[in-house]
Each structure stands twice: as C-alpha cells, then as structure tokens.
Amino acid sequence: MTANPIRPTISLDAQGKAHGFLRLPYSRNDSAWGSVMIPLTVIGNGEGPTALLTGGNHGDEYEGPIALQQLAWEIEPEQVSGRIIIVPYMNYPAFRAGTRVSPLDGVNLNRAFPGRPDGSVSQKIAHYFSETLVPLADVVLDYHSGGKTLDFLPYAAAHYLDDKDQQRKCVEAVKAFGAPYSMMMLEIDAVGMFDTTVEEKGKVFVTTELGGGGTATARSAEIAVRGARNLLRHAGILSGEVETSKSVMLDMPGDDCFHFAERDGLMHPLADLGETVRAGQPIAQIWPADRSGSAPIQIAANRDGILAARHFPGLVQMGDCLTVIAVA
Ligand code: ZN
C-alpha cells in the first residue's frame, strides 16, 4: 500500500496550542519540489475526547472558514479537556480559487472520499483525512453552505444511520450546535462524501448548511461560531455551558423534496427561503432566456413543507437543483 505523502508540520499529539500546516508535496512547472500548504491548528490539553473541525471542503463556502479562524485564534489550551484539530480550509486550492472544486484536478473533494494515497491532490487530501485525522477523532464537524450556486436556511444536520445509537448521538450533537434549524438530511448522492466516510467509522458527525451565494452574513457567521463552541462544550472538550437556543426540527423524508430544472432560463422565484408552501403551489417559474412573449415554465411544489434551499444565481441551467422543500 502506498503511503500518503501529506505530513503535518506540527505534532498532532502535543500539549498546548500550535499553528502549522498539512504539507502536501505538489511538483509543478513553477515549483519543482513545491507543496500545497493546508493551514492546521491543534489545541491539546490533558485527557479527553478529540474533535476534528473542518471548513472549506468546498472552496466557495465561508461560514466554516470564518468560524474556524475565530476558534483557532481565541481558544486557549486551559479551556480545553482533550484535543481540538482545526482545518479551516480543507480543500485549500479550491478555497484560494473561490471555487467549489479544486482548480488543480477538477475534483469535488466531497465526492472523492475515502480518497487515494496515489491519486490527485484532492484524492490525497481525502485519503489523509480518512486514514489519519478521522480515526483520531471522537466528534467531527464539517461546515458547508450553499456556495455560489445555492442558498440555504441556516441548519445543522445529521443523517439517518443504520446504527441507531450512533444516529441518536449525532442528533444530540446537532441540537447542541443550536442553529436556527436542525435537519435530518437526505443526500442526493452520498457516495464519496466525507460525511459517509466519517459515519462509517462510527464517529459522531455534524454537518451544516448555513447560508450561501458565495459569501457569509453577520448572522450566518455568528451562527457558525456559536455552533462550534456549543458542540465542543456538548462533547466535554471546551469549558463552559452550551448556549441553548430554539431550533426548528426539519426532515427531508424523500426524493420528492428536491426540485430540478428541466430547461434553461431566467429564474423568477415565487416563494422565498423559510416560507411554508403547499403541494401543487407554484414556487418558481423559468422565463426563456432568449425571447420575450413566451409563457414561463412553472415549477410546482412536490409536497407541503418549508422552502429550505434554493438556486442562487438568476440564470438556471437544465438539471440545476431549483429548490428543496423540507418538512417541519
Ligand atoms: Zn459544501
């Protein structure tokens, strides 16, 4: 078996707080023996569980990177029992490019798990997390938002798992995170996701969708920071009490939650995020992008529920996810 070439520049086991990098050798035209340097902070203090906190799995989602920079800066070892491993920009090349997938290999990191030690840059990053960092962790938080093409109600999420005891622990962690919404999340395609790899290893896993549009807001950033602190307190790693707040439980009970565009055009929203909609109600229509005077195509809600996600850009392409309706 090929060894993964990624090396941390700081110890993952040391006591105290250290900032360094995961160094991934990357030989290329402008740097023959160059590296991709993925920022890393480790805060360790005595006995206790380990949390792995990751942002920037997709490079155009910003609440996670913001929250993890804040935590890496402010948390001191004496506040910690155990260990916190923080990687704010997991897919660093994508983060620097402001893109969902890596500009180096065109790979979507969150479809590349469990990865390959002898693969492309993104595949090596996935493999290092799967085989080195996740096994160290008891609880894993991986931040997501909608990126440039989607926008979400702010929620933390767990998945339905075969192991109901593990599922219960994940749901308790999601509730502790304390986002305005808490989701039992159905994935369009869970193959290759970090989520799936972490859950298969039996860990407590929390993911999020905290906003979107390729930026963060004051509100979404604050939800992200408070949520991570809450999760660390819930896990017994960070001192202090969980700041409880009201969270609306949502569920995505089936594939009919998703609505996809069946033609290109100009999106005309007819319902906004957070609105309650009824089955059959028009929630968006698509006008032709190339002429006036033609009727729009209407998209009707597949089911009753709350609009939890929407396509962000004004133009839609055939096959785009237009909206997600969740059930309270
Ligand atoms: Zn994402």
Side-chain angles (χ1 to χ4, degrees), residues 35-328:
S35 309
V36 172
M37 303 290 277
I38 304 167
L40 166 72
T41 293
V42 180
I43 310 168
N45 188 32
E47 295 298 309
T50 292
L52 172 62
L53 312 181
T54 52
N57 182 333
H58 293 127
D60 62 349
E61 303 171 4
Y62 296 100
E63 284 82 0
I66 289 168
L68 296 180
Q69 282 284 17
Q70 175 87 31
L71 264 59
W73 179 251
E74 75 180 13
I75 294 178
E76 295 301 336
E78 52 271 22
Q79 301 170 274
V80 171
S81 304
R83 173 171 55 176
I84 308 171
I85 301 172
I86 300 175
V87 184
Y89 318 139
M90 193 181 188
N91 192 345
Y92 183 68
F95 174 76
R96 288 305 299 262
T99 52
R100 180 172 179 82
V101 309
S102 175
L104 302 183
D105 53 18
V107 170
N108 177 345
L109 180 61
N110 213 29
R111 300 293 183 275
F113 285 85
R116 296 177 60 96
D118 58 353
S120 68
V121 165
S122 301
Q123 290 170 327
K124 285 171 180 164
I125 293 171
H127 182 265
Y128 185 79
F129 276 80
S130 300
E131 295 305 314
T132 301
L133 294 184
V134 172
L136 297 175
D138 300 285
V139 54
V140 178
L141 167 63
D142 185 41
Y143 282 102
H144 289 263
S145 303
K148 287 177 176 167
T149 66
L150 291 171
D151 195 13
F152 284 88
L153 282 183
Y155 64 77
H159 298 104
Y160 289 104
L161 303 174
D162 291 336
D163 181 338
K164 293 303 168 194
D165 186 53
Q166 183 189 8
Q167 178 181 312
R168 181 183 54 76
K169 288 175 181 161
C170 294
V171 171
E172 283 172 1
V174 163
K175 288 180 177 169
F177 186 98
Y181 296 86
S182 298
M183 181 78 86
M184 289 308 292
M185 195 171 176
L186 179 72
E187 301 291 348
I188 294 174
D189 177 10
V191 174
M193 293 183 71
F194 185 46
D195 313 47
T196 309
T197 287
V198 175
E199 287 161 354
E200 282 175 357
K201 290 180 188 294
K203 310 298 183 179
V204 174
F205 181 70
V206 175
T207 187
T208 71
E209 299 288 1
L210 294 178
T215 190
T217 63
R219 177 169 180 253
S220 66
E222 200 256 329
I223 292 166
V225 172
R226 192 187 59 224
R229 286 192 198 124
N230 276 343
L231 180 63
L232 291 168
R233 286 171 176 151
H234 170 76
I237 298 172
L238 181 66
S239 62
E241 296 297 314
V242 174
E243 286 177 44
T244 50
S245 53
K246 188 173 165 295
S247 185
V248 177
M249 285 301 299
L250 296 176
D251 195 2
M252 290 167 63
D255 286 338
D256 64 352
C257 294
F258 299 99
H259 302 69
F260 296 95
E262 295 188 358
R263 77 180 230 188
D264 297 344
L266 166 67
M267 183 172 71
H268 177 167
L270 300 174
D272 282 323
L273 288 180
E275 267 185 58
T276 299
V277 297
R278 293 269 161 224
Q281 174 185 334
I283 50 176
Q285 53 191 13
I286 302 174
W287 292 100
D290 59 354
R291 70 197 62 233
S292 57
S294 295
I297 299 289
Q298 283 206 331
I299 291 87
N302 291 333
R303 60 183 308 138
D304 293 356
I306 290 176
L307 209 71
R310 56 155 281 187
H311 186 265
F312 190 77
L315 292 178
V316 296
Q317 302 175 78
M318 184 136 161
D320 284 352
C321 180
L322 284 178
T323 59
V324 176
I325 294 176
V327 177

